[in-house]
Amino acid sequence: MNIELIPAIDLINGQCVRLTQGDYLQKKVYAEHPEEVAKHFDSMGFKRLHVVDLDGAKSQHIVNESVLSAITSATHLKVDFGGGIKTDEDIQKAFDHGAAMVTIGSIAVTNPNLFFKWLERYGTDRLILGADVRKGKISIHGWKDDSGEDLLPFLKKFVDRGVQNVLCTDISKDGMLEGPDIQLYQQIITEFPQLHLIASGGVADKKDIEALAKARIPAVVFGKSIYEGRIDLKQIISEYEQ
């Protein structure tokens, strides 16, 4: 029983922050220098890092690429980067500044042909489909808008075209520290057992990670539980070899 552990850094104004349910008015700053946070994760033994440009998601173009560069040049972490990637220039900028992978959400809904073009150009191992879910529907544009698309049919369109990596965030759980929706992730992995599914939203403590691992979810992103001191990083790193 194993699970890939992926700590998260969310960026606003170049700072490491967390929101609650994606609400920019419910922002808490945890660190002034995200690259120092990333260096700590690197030193602990993590291999992956999930970085979200919240300014980019709001502005609909990449804003914090300099922070991405600082993180990737200061660590050995395999960084997946998302937020504000809307154009060919944006995605190339993310890769040019050190991202190993990119997470694409809104464009997959609003311009799927562009997503498929990127999939062909960069390969399935470098793109992550972001599926942000509220009440079973895909949300877009920094979680502000409901696309009206149901989760499983949405995923099927992309899995059928070769998508291998999916990051699914349960918006209702995000930042709440009330536990993840295990049933949601089990539903996805049952329907698409070939996916490298990354669960995101709600992880409060080690028990939540254990529950996801027991449900055979391949990977988990978590942030607030780290910054609030609810998880012993040494302990989980030792238990789930990365």
Side-chain angles (χ1 to χ4, degrees), residues 33 53 61 80 90 112 130 136 139 161 165 198 201 225 230 232 240:
H33 303 289
D53 184 352
H61 62 85
D80 79 73
D90 286 323
S139 289
R161 293 289 291 266
N165 302 287
I198 307 166
S225 53
R230 289 169 169 254
D232 183 328
Y240 299 100

Side-chain angles (χ1 to χ4, degrees), residues 219-235:
V220 58
V221 161
F222 55 112
K224 193 169 187 177
S225 53
I226 297 173
Y227 302 119
E228 293 288 336
R230 289 169 169 254
I231 288 183
D232 183 328
L233 296 183
K234 279 187 180 177
Q235 185 181 30

Side-chain angles (χ1 to χ4, degrees), residues 204-215:
D205 52 34
K206 180 171 168 283
K207 287 181 181 177
D208 289 333
I209 292 173
E210 288 172 350
L212 287 164
K214 190 174 181 181

Side-chain angles (χ1 to χ4, degrees), residues 49 84 87 91 103-104 108 122 131 144 161 210 215 217 236 239:
L49 177 66
T87 65
I91 192 169
T103 299
I104 309 293
Y122 297 105
K144 296 192 294 292
R161 293 289 291 266
E210 288 172 350
I217 307 307
I236 62 163
E239 288 193 22

Side-chain angles (χ1 to χ4, degrees), residues 6-59:
I6 309 173
I9 290 178
D10 290 358
L11 302 171
I12 291 181
N13 295 329
Q15 299 174 319
C16 176
V17 307
R18 296 302 288 177
L19 307 182
T20 299
Q21 295 182 327
D23 185 351
Y24 285 75
L25 297 178
Q26 297 187 63
K27 178 186 78 174
K28 184 172 180 180
V29 177
Y30 286 98
E32 297 286 329
H33 303 289
E35 68 273 16
E36 295 301 320
V37 178
K39 283 163 71 173
H40 175 64
F41 291 147
D42 193 17
S43 70
M44 294 292 294
F46 287 102
K47 305 298 183 192
R48 283 272 300 270
L49 177 66
H50 179 61
V51 176
V52 181
D53 184 352
L54 291 172
D55 292 314
K58 199 171 187 179
S59 305

Side-chain angles (χ1 to χ4, degrees), residues 85 87-95 102 104 118 122 127:
I85 298 175
T87 65
D88 289 337
E89 290 75 21
D90 286 323
I91 192 169
Q92 192 57 53
K93 185 181 286 187
F95 286 132
V102 295
I104 309 293
W118 291 343
Y122 297 105
L127 260 66

